[in-house]
Amino acid sequence: MQLPLRIDPAAGKSLQLQITEQIRLLILDGRLVAGARMPASRQLAQDLDVSRNTIMAAFGRLIAEGFLVAREPTGTFVAERVAPEGPALLPLVDARPSAAAEQRRRRRLKFRGEAHEVVAPHGHELEFDFWVGRPDARLFPLRHWQALLMRKLRTGARHLCEYGDPQGVLALREAISAHVGATRGIAADPARIVITNGIQEGLNLLAWLLIAPGVEVVVEDPCYRGAAHVFAGHGATLRPVAVDQDGIDCAALPAAALAYVTPSHQYPLGVTQSLARREALLAWAAAAGAYVVEDDYDCDFFYDGAPLPALKSLDRNGQVIYLGTFSKSLGAGLRIGYMVLPAELCEPARKAKALLNNCQPWLEQAALAAFITEGGYAEHLRRLRQLYAARRNHLCAAVTHGLPEWRCSGEGGGMHLVVQLPARGPDAQAVEQLARAHGVGVYGISHGNARLWNVGGDAALERVLLLGYAALSETEVSEALLRLRQAVGTGVVSEG
Ligand SMILES: Cc1ncc(COP(=O)(O)O)c(C=O)c1O
């Protein structure tokens, strides 16, 4: 550790006193915390260009005052309790902003945005959590991943010491190009791919490129909250359009510069956009000179036959911006996603990515490239698909038998089920609370990271629950369903 000490030979104070006073202050204002190890006296002497005796004398005095403790043979540490006669502790962060700070905030703070819920809000207090979009961490290919990381470190560690291409590691872009070609029908030149810190960063880069205050953006109603907040945070005017069983209604799309859609498995309602609607959406974009952002967040999971190819695969005019992620198939902690861009957006996106964070971390990109090209990823997906399909079937059957008034949909793909609650009885918010009291997490649309405007005034949407099932085994699903039955039974009794 290097301490921020400044020695001034012209200060009119001995070097020892200057060092003593500054360390004392660092401890008192909390910048050196209780238990922190002090640098070795030899090292500190070298850093400050003073004799080691000077440091030893300063440490000796601080030990005598109770600020430091010597623990032989390990070293010198900040004392757990600082001498009470010292001056009052100065908090590092002001707990209550002053009037001046508040005024500064109002005048200067440009960002007025909202954010979605990134971490499951009640995870720690729930035994069974149907939090949406969470893969099962127990199924992460840990051994394989460890081996890939070690191999990449052995052969390419120099990349850890260098910046990489802001567009992403070429081997990964090539691997993704082959993957989306085979699985999503997208012809993606690696030069058109930008690796991102998940889809969320992709959305931000696009907003930076395309959204100025007042720009109109069509969004699905309901819509993924993380996207709605990004666009709104950049000043866009959102134009929500209702979703039915065929996806976003394309009959009367308003004029806009951009449409953000989730055609494969609409978030959150789980419907798949029909081919006719896809064609209508592309025709609208061509007429409006608009871009369509296709968020294909959970497309790796389809259970009943082959999925429809991506909307991007139908794009003959280069209007569709495709966003993919490894957050669902591997894990959100990896933070790797990608964009497939129309030609004219590649260079601007590359520049924006460079300005934002120079580049993505190299190691995980390199490991993932090998995982995909050597076949490990396809094998992992096959295994997950089988397991998640069994979990989905189990959950659907358990709901049908245990809670027959609940209607399931959205089960064709993805990682969550959409449940329509009956018109009578507790609504989604009430069921959420009842379930939580029984140790089970279920989520209404708004608490499931979706933004609902309900432009169509559909009362049924207030009675929709989202159940993410991928992270729960069949046994866990059974137990959770028993609890849910008890919870809802309790609700009906207490209401009646
Ligand atoms: C519809 C949708 N898009 C994007 C994301 C964000 O994905 P990423 O982790 O790649 O940023 C999520 C996360 O759950 C999502 O549900």
Side-chain angles (χ1 to χ4, degrees):
M1 172 176 35
Q2 194 149 22
L3 295 181
L5 305 180
R6 270 173 178 269
I7 301 298
D8 179 2
K13 282 185 195 169
S14 74
L15 299 179
Q16 182 203 324
L17 190 59
Q18 291 185 49
I19 293 168
T20 308
E21 284 179 353
Q22 290 182 38
I23 294 180
R24 198 190 284 132
L25 251 181
L26 287 176
I27 295 173
L28 283 170
D29 72 11
R31 278 178 287 171
L32 270 176
V33 296
R37 181 200 285 269
M38 297 298 289
S41 54
R42 195 184 307 275
Q43 182 62 52
L44 191 53
Q46 214 175 350
D47 291 346
L48 299 176
D49 198 18
V50 301
S51 81
R52 190 169 168 222
N53 281 345
T54 304
I55 302 294
M56 301 284 275
F59 276 15
R61 180 159 171 184
L62 289 163
I63 290 170
E65 290 175 355
F67 284 94
L68 297 180
V69 286
R71 280 193 219 123
E72 295 299 341
T74 36
T76 306
F77 297 82
V78 176
E80 292 298 328
R81 262 168 197 275
V82 164
E85 66 273 16
L89 287 181
L90 306 172
L92 271 185
V93 182
D94 235 350
R96 270 180 316 143
S98 63
E102 183 50 27
Q103 199 184 17
R104 215 164 34 235
R105 184 188 70 79
R106 257 191 261 120
R107 284 181 59 206
R108 305 281 179 224
L109 186 68
K110 176 187 146 246
F111 179 73
R112 299 262 195 259
E114 299 293 328
H116 53 301
E117 202 76 63
V118 176
V119 179
H122 304 288
H124 54 286
E125 57 190 70
L126 298 171
E127 268 180 84
F128 306 103
D129 194 359
F130 288 100
W131 181 244
V132 185
R134 179 197 271 156
D136 191 339
R138 296 167 292 194
L139 302 175
F140 186 87
L142 202 53
R143 289 241 180 87
H144 197 157
W145 192 249
Q146 269 173 341
L148 287 167
L149 291 179
M150 292 315 291
R151 196 172 95 207
K152 289 294 158 191
L153 280 174
R154 268 198 309 276
T155 56
R158 71 185 168 82
H159 293 290
L160 289 176
C161 306
E162 293 166 359
Y163 292 110
D165 185 339
Q167 226 174 309
V169 164
L170 179 60
L172 179 57
R173 288 187 279 127
E174 287 170 346
I176 288 172
S177 163
H179 177 71
V180 297
T183 61
R184 309 298 296 130
I186 298 172
D189 183 336
R192 300 268 184 91
I193 295 176
V194 175
I195 307 296
T196 58
N197 181 309
I199 285 180
Q200 199 62 34
E201 188 187 67
L203 290 166
N204 275 282
L205 288 168
L206 292 176
W208 204 5
L209 262 51
L210 302 171
I211 307 293
V215 162
E216 316 224 37
V217 174
V218 166
V219 289
E220 297 164 323
D221 181 17
C223 153
Y224 172 53
R225 195 180 275 270
H229 285 329
V230 166
F231 297 134
H234 281 261
T237 303
L238 301 185
R239 298 277 177 234
V241 174
V243 168
D244 62 20
Q245 68 283 354
D246 288 327
I248 187 168
D249 181 359
C250 298
L253 288 174
L258 198 89
Y260 164 79
V261 289
T262 48
S264 297
H265 190 236
Q266 202 275 333
Y267 194 83
L269 296 181
V271 295
T272 300
Q273 189 179 35
S274 67
L275 197 53
R277 287 271 175 93
R278 291 177 189 220
E279 278 161 1
L281 183 59
L282 293 177
W284 166 84
Y291 287 108
V292 177
V293 178
E294 176 180 23
D295 177 343
D296 216 10
Y297 66 107
D298 67 359
C299 62
D300 299 301
F301 304 112
F302 49 87
Y303 308 117
D304 307 317
L308 272 185
L311 175 70
K312 174 78 185 158
S313 72
L314 304 175
D315 177 24
R316 299 282 164 259
N317 300 324
Q319 314 165 103
V320 178
I321 300 166
Y322 179 84
L323 302 180
T325 184
F326 294 92
S327 287
K328 309 301 169 192
S329 54
L330 283 167
L334 272 182
R335 304 311 307 135
I336 304 186
Y338 53 95
M339 311 195 275
V340 181
L341 293 164
E344 72 278 11
L345 294 185
C346 291
E347 195 47 29
R350 187 174 188 278
K351 286 180 185 162
K353 175 71 179 164
L355 287 176
L356 191 63
N357 47 29
N358 290 326
C359 60
Q360 283 293 112
W362 162 78
L363 181 57
E364 285 81 4
Q365 289 189 78
L368 182 55
F371 193 48
I372 298 172
T373 42
E374 292 165 16
Y377 185 56
E379 181 54 37
H380 171 68
L381 285 180
R382 257 194 302 279
R383 177 164 173 251
L384 285 192
R385 248 178 242 133
Q386 264 175 12
L387 283 161
Y388 289 175
R391 289 174 184 188
R392 174 206 65 162
N393 294 344
H394 191 74
L395 177 59
C396 287
V399 170
T400 307
H401 290 119
L403 291 155
E405 292 195 312
W406 290 18
R407 293 274 166 266
C408 297
S409 63
E411 72 275 26
M415 304 157 84
H416 73 274
L417 210 63
V418 178
V419 166
Q420 184 67 60
L421 296 172
R424 287 166 49 87
D427 65 9
Q429 213 182 332
V431 175
E432 267 182 37
Q433 281 167 9
L434 291 164
R436 197 180 316 147
H438 284 73
V440 181
V442 296
Y443 300 91
I445 286 185
S446 303
H447 291 157
N449 265 337
R451 170 85 166 84
L452 173 66
W453 291 265
N454 206 352
V455 286
D458 182 358
L461 287 171
E462 307 293 342
R463 309 186 74 78
V464 164
L465 278 186
L466 308 175
L467 303 186
Y469 52 79
L472 296 174
S473 70
E474 290 171 49
T475 316
E476 289 163 333
V477 164
S478 296
E479 179 60 29
L481 256 285
L482 279 179
R483 303 265 192 106
L484 273 179
R485 280 180 68 181
Q486 286 166 0
V488 179
T490 314
V492 171
V493 169
S494 66
E495 280 203 349

